[in-house]
Amino acid sequence: MIIVEDLRKRYDGVQALDGVSFEVREGEVFGLLGPNGAGKSTTVRVLVTLTYADEGSASVAGHDVRREQNAVRRTIGYVPQDSGVDQFGTGRENLMLQGRVQGMHGRDLRTRADELLELVGIADAADRIVKNYSGGMRRRLDIALGLMHRPRVLFLDEPTTGLDPEARVAMWDEVSRLARAESLTILLTTHYLEEADQLTDRLAIVSRGKVVVEGTSADLKAGLRGDAVQVEIESGAVADAQRVLAGVGATPEQVLDDRIVVSRVENGGRALPGIISALEGAGIDVASVSVSRPSLDDVYLHFTGRDFGTEDRAA
Amino acid sequence: MTVARHTWFMTVRQARNLMREPIWIVLLLVQPMVWLVLYGQLFRNVTRLGGFGTGSYITFLAPAIVVMNAFFGATWSGMAMINDLDHKVVERFLATPASRISIVLSQIVRSAFTAAIQAVVILLVSLALGVRVHTGALGWLVIIVAGILVNSAFAGISQAIALLTRREATMIAVANFIGLPLLFLSTTMIARPQMPGWMQTAARFNPVDWGVRAAREVVLPGTDWGSVAGHLGLLLALSALTAAWATRTFRAYQRSL
């Protein structure tokens, strides 16, 4: 449904896209996961015809995003990161105008607006000025605007940024429900690992303008083969610890902050006593140890060599 | 066809938002009323200098105030575009098949529409103050059209500046920079023979003066319809030119995305 091949784009001297490629199949919810500034939004903006890539090609539902712009625009719904609603109009007025510029009219236009207001749960506020909407209501209206002309593909750029945790979870349910109700193909971007994990059928991890890995969340995690064991020690002992860990079959993978060694073992719980005694036997002071089931955070760390949270905050 | 339809849809949106806060139309009318009522009274004897074509200064002044108000309104019209750009309303439309030209044109049409409403109010107040338009309904129409055309000519410029700079502070600076000079380099407040020679010459090239001359021509005795048509024609051509410039700058804005 969406085919992206080797997109490259420079913005003011920054290589925003450095060869992005991925494919989205019909009917799936696909996620682009990455920290702020990784190139997710730029990719979406190329796909929804807001901007051009310098190189590479992309198509949506068989239409080239560069050569068949209006065909693409009729096929897609786009829910941008920064809303884009006219806040001085009512929810219904916003929807009606969106439908009109998409070529809808008459009864179809009115009933579709009613239907969507109902579907996203803001029917009661339909005729109120958007300025007075809560953040969650506004986001629901954004999504309704994207769905107004019954698009086959919906682009959601950071759908839950700025929402409180409760509203975020509600929005996840909403998106899953809408995807089914409207038989949509959805491409969403997010910098929340949990969101990608919960919501997407497949995802691509994007870092510094490139897709580093693509697959289902479960596959990606399984691909790490085992649990992560994090051992916190004194910074001077890192090299020794790595040697000792390798000796007991816990392959060291990363070093964080110069004093936490992350290694991967088949079964973390079972290997732990052996790891601790081996380290202490070698005279290394262990400050703390933790075992975790593979998470998307680990997947990110594994493929980029960088910690997701740190990179996101740095951006 | 699509352009006309989409321009209509988008103008309706803006006009509706405007009507929701009619206080703005009222506030914008305070200034012309001050000119009309206070300034008109203060300088009522200025017609004794001669060359005004009437002994009633308010009659001389009223049609020009309509044009002046339309001109001032136009210099600010880019603010609404900046607001739409800032709130990404424009970007949302760009991801739809909405006509690109209509996004710009609707701003100009909305601006001219506001000027037309204000023109009617100013004319009604003038009527109450004793101003008579001897050419009747057609004269009223000419004055309103002069306001609309002066407004759209400068609204095009204002939109272009909004799209080029995308900053409110720049808009305010430009509005202040061109506002008073173009007002004083016109016959809005004074009869042509009373102006210094170089100012008379400068006024000939001032679109605000074109509007003032067309509007005043239908109020004062001895209306020269050729002059009315000529000045309105000039304004129409200028409006088309500035609208074309605004749509060109819109393409530049799109490229910057």
Side-chain angles (χ1 to χ4, degrees):
Chain A
M1 200 55 149
I2 303 172
I3 300 170
V4 178
E5 279 170 357
D6 203 28
L7 290 181
R8 287 167 200 278
K9 185 174 179 69
R10 280 186 85 78
Y11 259 128
D12 308 325
V14 178
Q15 192 74 41
L17 301 181
D18 195 14
V20 172
S21 303
F22 60 89
E23 263 183 55
V24 180
R25 298 168 199 148
E26 180 154 12
E28 74 180 349
V29 178
F30 188 89
L32 288 180
L33 170 68
N36 286 321
K40 296 165 295 168
S41 288
T42 307
T43 304
V44 169
R45 291 166 70 84
V46 169
L47 292 176
V48 302
T49 76
L50 275 181
T51 188
Y52 299 128
D54 302 331
E55 286 170 61
S57 67
S59 70
V60 178
H63 304 295
D64 186 278
V65 296
R66 181 107 199 210
R67 285 190 301 272
E68 301 164 89
Q69 292 185 321
N70 271 338
V72 171
R73 289 168 188 150
R74 276 189 286 271
T75 316
I76 61 157
Y78 170 48
V79 180
Q81 197 169 338
D82 333 80
S83 173
V85 297
D86 175 3
Q87 50 175 340
F88 301 107
T90 68
R92 190 192 305 278
E93 286 164 5
N94 270 286
L95 278 170
M96 300 281 276
L97 178 57
Q98 182 81 6
R100 284 200 170 102
V101 296
Q102 282 284 4
M104 301 170 75
H105 48 80
R107 232 182 107 145
D108 180 43
L109 178 69
R110 283 192 302 277
T111 53
R112 176 64 175 167
D114 286 336
E115 178 186 312
L116 277 175
L117 287 163
E118 201 67 53
L119 191 69
V120 301
I122 52 170
D124 293 342
D127 297 308
R128 280 183 12 218
I129 305 289
V130 174
K131 218 175 168 165
N132 306 321
Y133 280 22
S134 70
M137 284 162 71
R138 225 181 254 215
R139 213 63 190 128
R140 282 155 188 276
L141 175 60
D142 288 340
I143 291 177
L145 283 167
L147 292 174
M148 183 64 191
H149 61 293
R150 303 186 185 88
R152 291 163 62 201
V153 184
L154 185 67
F155 291 88
L156 296 170
D157 199 0
E158 301 281 351
T160 64
T161 297
L163 296 186
D164 56 59
E166 208 173 315
R168 178 169 305 147
V169 173
M171 189 57 74
W172 292 347
D173 291 342
E174 196 81 8
V175 170
S176 309
R177 195 165 58 84
L178 290 171
R180 281 194 303 276
E182 304 261 322
S183 40
L184 285 167
T185 304
I186 296 183
L187 174 71
L188 68 89
T189 75
T190 182
H191 67 278
Y192 297 113
L193 296 158
E194 207 189 342
E195 185 160 293
D197 215 354
Q198 291 276 325
L199 209 50
T200 62
D201 298 319
R202 286 192 317 126
L203 59 98
I205 293 181
V206 186
S207 170
R208 310 198 175 179
K210 277 192 177 107
V211 171
V212 290
V213 66
E214 185 184 334
T216 67
S217 169
D219 284 350
L220 293 179
K221 285 186 269 190
L224 292 183
R225 294 175 212 287
D227 302 340
V229 176
Q230 296 203 3
V231 182
E232 187 181 353
I233 46 173
E234 282 167 30
S235 53
V238 167
D240 285 343
Q242 282 177 313
R243 212 169 27 247
V244 172
L245 285 164
V248 294
T251 331
E253 234 172 25
Q254 307 287 339
V255 178
L256 302 176
D257 298 341
D258 244 3
R259 55 191 174 80
I260 300 171
V261 180
V262 184
S263 43
R264 209 151 282 285
V265 292
E266 198 67 47
N267 183 326
R270 199 171 296 161
L272 206 51
I275 289 173
I276 295 172
S277 60
L279 285 169
E280 291 191 329
I284 299 167
D285 257 344
V286 179
S288 75
V289 182
S290 67
V291 177
S292 55
R293 302 284 311 146
S295 68
L296 274 182
D297 216 341
D298 298 323
V299 175
Y300 186 82
L301 183 69
H302 179 81
F303 283 101
T304 66
R306 288 181 290 268
D307 179 52
F308 187 87
T310 319
E311 183 132 294
D312 195 37
R313 279 191 299 276
Chain B
M1 207 38 222
T2 311
V3 175
R5 250 194 11 258
H6 285 189
T7 303
W8 168 249
F9 297 149
M10 302 225 174
T11 306
V12 167
R13 166 179 82 94
Q14 297 183 47
R16 197 164 43 201
N17 292 352
L18 198 69
M19 289 306 167
R20 282 215 172 92
E21 301 199 42
I23 185 73
W24 284 109
I25 296 190
V26 177
L27 285 177
L28 287 169
L29 277 168
V30 170
Q31 204 193 19
M33 291 309 158
V34 168
W35 284 95
L36 203 59
V37 180
L38 298 184
Y39 185 88
Q41 291 298 308
L42 186 64
F43 285 90
R44 55 187 296 183
N45 291 331
V46 77
T47 52
R48 290 184 194 160
L49 292 170
F52 283 79
T54 172
S56 155
Y57 185 53
I58 191 102
T59 302
F60 177 86
L61 193 61
I65 294 298
V66 168
V67 172
M68 179 197 81
N69 182 65
F71 163 59
F72 282 158
T75 58
W76 297 103
S77 88
M79 295 297 249
M81 176 63 97
I82 288 179
N83 189 60
D84 275 357
L85 290 173
D86 282 350
H87 289 96
K88 311 287 177 185
V89 178
V90 175
E91 277 192 24
R92 178 165 58 83
F93 287 133
L94 287 179
T96 72
S99 147
R100 274 49 187 160
I101 294 173
S102 77
I103 295 173
V104 183
L105 276 189
S106 63
Q107 295 278 357
I108 298 174
V109 175
R110 179 263 313 153
S111 174
F113 167 74
T114 314
I117 295 177
Q118 293 175 334
V120 171
V121 176
I122 296 170
L123 284 174
L124 288 173
V125 173
S126 305
L127 193 67
L129 290 172
V131 175
R132 294 293 172 267
V133 180
H134 80 89
T135 47
L138 183 61
W140 277 63
L141 189 67
V142 166
I143 298 170
I144 294 167
V145 168
I148 288 173
L149 289 176
V150 166
N151 184 282
S152 54
F154 284 97
I157 296 171
S158 184
Q159 293 300 326
I161 291 166
L163 286 161
L164 287 173
T165 68
R166 288 161 238 158
R167 290 190 46 209
E168 289 190 3
T170 316
M171 287 292 319
I172 294 169
V174 171
N176 284 329
F177 183 75
I178 67 168
L180 287 183
L182 286 189
L183 179 66
F184 290 135
L185 287 174
S186 78
T187 54
T188 302
M189 291 172 290
I190 193 87
R192 181 170 310 275
Q194 302 303 335
M195 294 169 87
W198 71 272
M199 284 179 117
Q200 289 187 30
T201 312
R204 284 190 197 290
F205 301 97
N206 179 357
V208 178
D209 196 55
W210 302 344
V212 169
R213 288 172 77 173
R216 185 173 285 146
E217 198 64 45
V218 296
V219 177
L220 299 183
T223 301
D224 174 357
W225 288 103
S227 163
V228 171
H231 286 116
L232 291 184
L234 275 174
L235 285 169
L236 187 64
L238 183 67
S239 297
L241 216 62
T242 62
W245 182 37
T247 52
R248 268 183 75 107
T249 57
F250 190 75
R251 279 198 283 278
Y253 155 74
Q254 278 181 271
R255 276 194 298 276
S256 77
L257 285 171

